[in-house]
Amino acid sequence: WFFSSYPEVELESVTVNVTIQDFVADVVSELFFRNTQQVPKETMFIFPVDPDTVVHTFYATMGDTRIEAMLWEKEEAQQLLKATSGMENLGYLQNEWDLWGPVFACFLGTLPPNSKVAISLCYVQELPMQPDGAAQFCWPRKLFPRTNYIRWHSSEETEAENLHFSICLKSAHGVSHIAINSSYTPLQYTTPDQTSAVVSLKCPPWMQDDLNLLAYYRGFHTLSAVVERRDPKAPPDSLLGDPVLMVTLMPSIPEVEPSPGHLGEFLFLMDCSLFQDAQVPPEEILRGNFPHCSCSADGVSGKLLHVARCSAKLPYLSSAPPSICLQNTLLFLLKSLPLGCYFNIYSFGATFNAFYLQSVEYKQESMDSAVGRISSICPDLGGCDLLGLLRFIYNTPLLHGHARQLFIFIQRKISSEEEAVMAEVYRYRDHHRCFCFPTNRCDSFNLFQAMALETKGECVCIHSRMDMTSEAVKCLQRALQPPASGISLHWELPPGLVVSMIRKAPEMIFQGQKSSIYAQIHGQTQDPEVGEGAVTLQYHVGSQSFDYTLRFSLSPSADNRLPVHRMAMMHLLWKLAWEGTSRTDKDVWHSAVKSSLSLGVLSPFTSIVAVRMKQRDAWHHGKARSNSSMFFSPSCNLVPCQLLWLCSFRPVWFKSTKFWMVQKCQLFLETLGRKTPDTEALIQLPGTCKDQQLQIRVVVALQKANGSWALTTDLSSALGLSKADVELQRPSEDVQPAVWATVLALVWLHQYKWKVSWSEILETKACRWLQNQAEVQLDECLEAANSLLGCFVEPTIFRI
C-alpha cells in the first residue's frame, strides 16, 4: 500500500484505533515510515477505497513540511490540478501499477536519507457480513511493520514494540466474541450489559496474511440499528444537524418453493468473440454444421439434438471449439431454468443484439425458439460494447417480483471503459446480481471480479481444463435460491419526529446477504420522556410473509467523529448525482458541494487537492476552502493527489476479501492449462465414458421446459434401449407415456449423477412435474425402470 521506488523505505511503527459498531467501522491510523538508505527516495502513498469506504482525512508530515489532502469544488479543483507539476507520476501509476480498482494515491515527493514521514489516515467503512452473521474487518498486511517471522526466535513483546492496534466493539445486541487471525489480548467488556468491549493485537498476522477480524454479536438478528446524534454545531434540518440512522437488514430466508410470480429474470450476455472458431468455420456454425458429424439437424428438435451430440463429443474447453462449448453451456442453462421465470439472451461485440425485444416467460415455445437461435449468433472480433448493453438492460424496467440476474460470458479486453462499466454496475448494485465467466485469455478479469463482488454474485475464471457448463450451472443453482422480496420498512417514532430515507431498501435480498439503509430523523419530539423508536421489516419468501420489529434508542452516546453521518452523506451525494443534479440547479449544487466539504466526503461534485505547506502555516488549511489565493502563496505548493482507478492487466496475489481484488490468479490458471503430454494422456476418457457423456447430453437435450420427457425413439436410443422394450415394460396402460418416459430418464440420469454435478436442477424439475400429475403410480414405475435399466435407485429420488 505504501509505494516506493525502492524497498528500503520501511514501515517502522503503526498506531491504529478502530471502532466497530454493528456493521460500520471508524478507523484512525498513524503510520511512520523511514528511508533507511543514504540516498533520497521518491515515495507515494496508495490505499484502496471501494464504494463502501470514505477516506475523509489524510496528511503526511516530513520534518517541518506538511502535505494535506483537501476537497475542492470539482471544476475549480480541475483547474488547480492542471497547474500541478508531477501529475505524470499518477498517470504512470494508473497504467503501470500491478493492482486494479480504485485507490487513494498521494505523491509525497523525495524522502531524504534516514528521515521519517508520518502519515495520518482516517476513514469509515461499511463492513461486509459473513454467512454466519459476523461483521468482517480487514487491514492490509502491507501496513504492518516488518517483523521477524521466525516466532521461536522472537517474542510477542518484541514484535509488538512498534504496533499499537486497538479495536473497540459496540452493539445494542451485545458483543458475543471475536475471531482474529493473529494473537490478541482477551476481550474486555467496558459496560455491564456487554454492549461494548475492547481488544488489542499482540503482534501482526502470520506471514503475508492481511488482518482479518470477525465480530460476532449476541443471537442472530434480522435487524440491527445504529443511531448517531446530530452535530450540535450544525443547523437543524441539515444532514449534520439531524440524527442519522443506519439500519442493517439481514432477512432470514427459509427453504421454500418459490411462487410462480417470483422465479426471477435471467439474462445471458454472450461475448461474440467466443464464437470465433479456428476449427469450425463461422459459416458452418451459422448453419449448425460441425465437422465429422452425420446427425440430422432438421427443425428445432433436430438442431437441439445436433448441438448436444456434437458438443458432447468435445467435453473439454481445450479440445472443443469455444463456440461449441458456449452453445453447450447455453443449452443446459436454458434446460435448467424453472417454468414461469423470465429470460433473454444478448450477444455483444461492436454492437449488441437481443433474442427478444424484452424478457419473455420461460415455457416450451420460448425455450425451443431460444435453442434454435443459439447457433445463429454471429462471431464478432470488433469492438466490445458491453457498456452500451449494460445501460440498455439497466434502463429496462424490472419485472415486479422477479430478481434480475446477469450471466456474462466474455474473453476480450474492455479496459477503456472499465471505470464507466463499474460506475453503472455500482449505480444499480441493489437491483441485480452478476455472475461472470471470463476466460483465462480475458485481460479484464479483475473488472468482472469487481462486478461480481459489488452485486454479491460470483466470478469464475474459465481456464483451459475447466468444464464451462458445470461451473455455469453451479452458479445458476445458487441464483435459483428464493430471495427475500417485497421488502418494506415501517417506522414508529414519537410524535413530532419523521423519517426521511437517504438510501432506501433494495428490491430484493438474497440468501446470506445483508443490505444497509440510511435515514435522517427530522423534527422535535413532543414528549421528551419517550426515548425509543421502532422499525418493522416486512418481506416475502415465496408465498410466505415475514415481519420483524426492532426497537432502538433515540438517545445514543455521542460520537464526535460522525461515522454514520459520513456514510449517509456519501449515499446522499451519489443519489443527487444519479438524479441528474447539475450546475443549473444552483441551490442543490451549492448545498451538495457544501455538504461534501463539511464532512470531507468525496463526491461527484468535488475532487481531491493536496497542499504542501510549512508546519507554521498549517493553521491556514482551515481557511483554504474559502480562500483559493492561499494555494499560490510562497509557503505552499500543490501536490499530485487523486482518487485513481488503476488499470492493471496483470492480476496479482491479494487476499483482502473486502476490497476489489483478484481471488484467483490468472497466471496460476494459465499454468494449469499447460500440461505435459503424460498429463494429457491421463485425462483422456475411455471410449465408454465418452459415449456416456454423449448419452447424458442427448438425454438432457430432450427434456422439456416443464421438466418432463416424451416417450420417443430418440429418448429410447439415448438410454441405450429399443423403443419396443420401453413400450413393453411400461407398468400398465394407465401410466401415461410421458410419466413413464420421465421416470425412466430420471432414474437413468440419477445413475450417472456422479459424472454430471449439474444434473440436480434437472432432476428437481422432473420430480416437481411428476408430483403435479394426478394418480401417478411412482412405485410401480420405479420398479419397472430399475428392472429395465439394470440398476437400483431408491424411492427417495422423487423427493417425497
Side-chain angles (χ1 to χ4, degrees):
W1 300 115
F2 182 81
F3 167 73
S4 169
S5 54
Y6 298 93
E8 290 81 6
V9 177
E10 295 184 358
L11 179 60
E12 286 194 336
S13 64
V14 170
T15 300
V16 182
N17 293 292
V18 184
T19 301
I20 297 175
Q21 190 161 4
D22 285 350
F23 289 92
V24 64
D26 182 18
V27 182
V28 179
S29 62
E30 194 165 20
L31 316 167
F32 295 89
F33 296 87
R34 179 187 293 274
N35 178 9
T36 60
Q37 298 298 295
Q38 298 305 309
V39 293
K41 302 294 181 184
E42 287 192 339
T43 56
M44 182 180 294
F45 183 80
I46 303 169
F47 188 78
V49 287
D50 65 4
D52 291 326
T53 300
V54 175
V55 175
H56 58 84
T57 302
F58 173 84
Y59 57 88
T61 304
M62 293 182 287
D64 63 348
T65 300
R66 174 186 172 110
I67 295 175
E68 181 169 355
M70 305 176 184
L71 292 186
W72 200 261
E73 191 276 327
K74 192 156 197 161
E75 290 188 6
E76 294 185 17
Q78 289 173 347
Q79 292 300 318
L80 292 171
L81 291 173
K82 287 180 180 178
T84 304
S85 61
M87 289 298 290
E88 63 275 5
N89 291 292
L90 297 186
Y92 176 83
L93 170 71
Q94 186 170 20
N95 295 307
E96 299 298 329
W97 191 238
D98 60 353
L99 298 179
W100 186 93
V103 296
F104 170 85
C106 185
F107 184 71
L108 302 179
T110 302
L111 187 60
N114 200 36
S115 60
K116 281 188 177 183
V117 54
I119 291 177
S120 293
L121 175 73
C122 303
Y123 66 92
V124 294
Q125 183 181 70
E126 186 181 307
L127 300 180
M129 182 185 75
Q130 293 299 292
D132 58 4
Q136 182 185 32
F137 172 77
C138 292
W139 180 261
R141 171 66 191 88
K142 295 281 189 179
L143 291 186
F144 280 112
R146 297 180 184 178
T147 59
N148 182 1
Y149 287 109
I150 304 177
R151 293 295 173 89
W152 51 87
H153 287 169
S154 61
S155 65
E156 287 184 349
E157 290 76 14
T158 302
E159 290 181 340
E161 280 183 4
N162 299 321
L163 174 67
H164 307 279
F165 205 115
S166 64
I167 302 127
C168 176
L169 303 160
K170 298 179 181 179
S171 176
H173 296 300
V175 179
S176 172
H177 62 283
I178 60 173
I180 309 179
N181 62 337
S182 176
S183 61
Y184 55 94
T185 61
L187 192 67
Q188 294 185 342
Y189 292 100
T190 57
T191 54
D193 58 2
Q194 298 187 344
T195 57
S196 179
V198 295
V199 68
S200 297
L201 296 188
K202 289 183 177 180
C203 61
W206 174 249
M207 297 299 286
Q208 296 301 313
D209 284 346
D210 300 329
L211 175 71
N212 189 25
L213 179 146
L214 300 178
Y216 293 87
Y217 307 117
R218 298 198 181 279
F220 184 84
H221 302 279
T222 299
L223 286 171
S224 73
V226 177
V227 182
E228 191 170 86
R229 281 185 178 179
R230 64 181 293 269
D231 183 353
K233 302 176 184 177
D237 293 329
S238 65
L239 183 65
L240 282 176
D242 283 335
V244 167
L245 177 67
M246 172 185 172
V247 179
T248 303
L249 315 178
M250 301 165 284
S252 175
I253 303 177
E255 293 293 334
V256 300
E257 290 292 334
S259 59
H262 297 82
L263 291 170
E265 179 189 21
F266 302 91
L267 306 179
F268 304 106
L269 283 59
M270 321 305 295
D271 180 357
C272 289
S273 68
L274 283 164
F275 289 83
Q276 180 67 18
D277 191 337
Q279 299 181 22
V280 182
E283 63 273 11
E284 295 302 307
I285 296 176
L286 294 177
R287 296 190 187 104
N289 297 329
F290 297 87
H292 315 298
C293 177
S294 58
C295 61
S296 171
D298 294 333
V300 171
S301 178
K303 183 167 290 190
L304 183 150
L305 277 172
H306 180 64
V307 171
R309 284 175 175 145
C310 295
S311 59
K313 296 173 184 176
L314 301 166
Y316 293 110
L317 189 62
S318 61
S319 57
S323 60
I324 298 180
C325 290
L326 204 56
Q327 288 177 3
N328 189 51
T329 300
L330 258 180
L331 170 67
F332 296 130
L333 284 173
L334 286 171
K335 287 290 177 177
S336 300
L337 291 178
L339 203 64
C341 74
Y342 284 78
F343 78 100
N344 205 346
I345 298 175
Y346 298 88
S347 59
F348 62 94
T351 59
F352 60 86
N353 296 286
F355 275 27
Y356 306 102
L357 294 177
Q358 57 187 10
S359 295
V360 296
E361 184 179 353
Y362 180 79
K363 48 189 177 182
Q364 189 64 41
E365 295 79 7
S366 58
M367 186 199 73
D368 283 343
S369 171
V371 169
R373 297 181 63 180
I374 289 176
S375 60
S376 67
I377 298 177
C378 298
D380 182 350
L381 296 179
C384 183
D385 192 21
L386 177 62
L387 178 61
L389 175 54
L390 289 176
R391 285 174 173 167
F392 175 81
I393 291 173
Y394 294 153
N395 288 329
T396 303
L398 293 168
L399 297 171
H400 179 68
H402 290 272
R404 175 172 287 173
Q405 306 192 69
L406 276 57
F407 286 69
I408 305 173
F409 298 85
I410 190 165
Q411 74 170 355
R412 73 177 92 195
K413 177 175 67 177
I414 57 171
S415 57
S416 60
E417 295 177 333
E418 283 184 348
E419 187 170 354
V421 167
M422 272 312 306
E424 289 294 312
V425 171
Y426 175 66
R427 180 177 179 181
Y428 294 96
R429 64 177 179 166
D430 288 333
H431 302 287
H432 76 298
R433 279 201 296 186
C434 291
F435 294 89
C436 303
F437 306 91
T439 70
N440 62 338
R441 289 179 288 175
C442 179
D443 288 330
S444 295
F445 171 70
N446 303 23
L447 169 66
F448 295 102
Q449 178 77 4
M451 291 170 64
L453 288 173
E454 270 313 301
T455 59
K456 299 180 174 67
E458 191 169 344
C459 179
V460 180
C461 182
I462 305 297
H463 60 79
S464 58
R465 291 293 171 188
M466 185 179 289
D467 187 343
M468 181 190 293
T469 301
S470 177
E471 295 301 321
V473 176
K474 283 179 188 175
C475 288
L476 179 61
Q477 194 164 18
R478 178 184 168 193
L480 289 173
Q481 295 174 351
S485 60
I487 296 171
S488 62
L489 294 175
H490 304 275
W491 303 91
E492 180 185 331
L493 295 175
L497 297 181
V498 293
V499 166
S500 173
M501 299 300 295
I502 296 173
R503 185 187 185 192
K504 64 180 183 178
E507 299 286 334
M508 298 186 181
I509 300 178
F510 296 91
Q511 182 74 45
Q513 298 180 0
K514 74 169 181 67
S515 180
S516 296
I517 64 102
Y518 295 85
Q520 185 175 352
I521 303 177
H522 301 281
Q524 188 71 37
T525 178
Q526 299 175 9
D527 186 357
E529 299 296 323
V530 181
E532 277 193 339
V535 58
T536 299
L537 167 67
Q538 294 181 341
Y539 63 92
H540 304 282
V541 180
S543 58
Q544 298 184 24
S545 298
F546 301 85
D547 63 87
Y548 296 89
T549 299
L550 174 70
R551 305 200 68 82
F552 53 86
S553 172
L554 292 172
S555 302
S557 58
D559 191 331
N560 296 329
R561 299 184 54 77
L562 302 171
V564 177
H565 277 78
R566 293 184 196 275
M567 294 301 303
M569 179 68 73
M570 179 190 72
H571 290 291
L572 176 61
L573 293 170
W574 277 100
K575 178 182 175 183
L576 290 173
W578 293 337
E579 291 173 350
T581 300
S582 64
R583 293 188 70 90
T584 57
D585 307 317
K586 292 184 179 179
D587 292 339
V588 178
W589 179 277
H590 177 73
S591 175
V593 172
K594 185 177 179 181
S595 298
S596 181
L597 299 179
S598 64
L599 281 174
V601 177
L602 184 65
S603 73
F605 309 98
T606 52
S607 293
I608 303 174
V609 174
V611 179
R612 180 186 290 110
M613 63 189 85
K614 297 294 183 182
Q615 282 285 70
R616 63 178 180 271
D617 296 327
W619 66 271
H620 279 295
H621 80 272
K623 301 180 181 180
R625 297 180 182 88
S626 59
N627 181 12
S628 60
S629 64
M630 177 267 181
F631 281 96
F632 302 99
S633 66
S635 62
C636 63
N637 300 286
L638 300 181
V639 175
C641 179
Q642 278 187 308
L643 188 68
L644 284 180
W645 189 285
L646 302 187
C647 301
S648 167
F649 303 135
R650 303 183 302 278
V652 297
W653 287 105
F654 206 82
K655 299 188 68 174
S656 173
T657 56
K658 176 60 183 170
F659 303 126
W660 292 347
M661 295 302 163
V662 180
Q663 295 174 345
K664 296 179 180 179
C665 179
Q666 181 173 344
L667 178 61
F668 176 66
L669 295 177
E670 289 174 348
T671 302
L672 288 179
R674 295 193 293 268
K675 297 188 179 294
T676 64
D678 290 339
T679 309
E680 290 280 352
L682 288 174
I683 64 169
Q684 293 300 317
L685 291 172
T688 54
C689 291
K690 287 185 177 180
D691 293 339
Q692 289 170 356
Q693 292 277 351
L694 170 59
Q695 286 179 280
I696 289 170
R697 283 161 171 78
V698 174
V699 170
V700 170
L702 290 169
Q703 188 177 26
K704 294 185 177 296
N706 60 11
S708 69
W709 277 267
L711 192 58
T712 64
T713 302
D714 282 332
L715 177 63
S716 301
S717 176
L719 299 178
L721 304 169
S722 69
K723 180 71 177 299
D725 287 340
V726 172
E727 289 282 8
L728 184 63
Q729 292 294 323
R730 184 155 52 126
S732 68
E733 292 293 330
D734 295 334
V735 176
Q736 300 175 20
V739 170
W740 172 231
T742 300
V743 172
L744 266 178
L746 180 60
V747 170
W748 187 92
L749 196 62
H750 189 79
Q751 185 181 8
Y752 293 105
K753 187 175 181 178
W754 63 276
K755 293 186 182 299
V756 280
S757 58
W758 39 262
S759 67
E760 185 175 345
I761 301 179
L762 304 177
E763 290 184 25
T764 301
K765 287 180 67 173
C767 291
R768 190 174 294 130
W769 181 84
L770 286 171
Q771 292 165 14
N772 291 333
Q773 305 308 303
E775 300 179 2
V776 177
Q777 297 84 22
L778 290 179
D779 289 341
E780 294 180 20
C781 291
L782 179 60
E783 183 179 353
N786 277 330
S787 175
L788 183 60
L789 294 171
C791 59
F792 181 75
V793 175
E794 297 183 354
T796 53
I797 187 179
F798 297 120
R799 296 169 171 82
I800 297 177

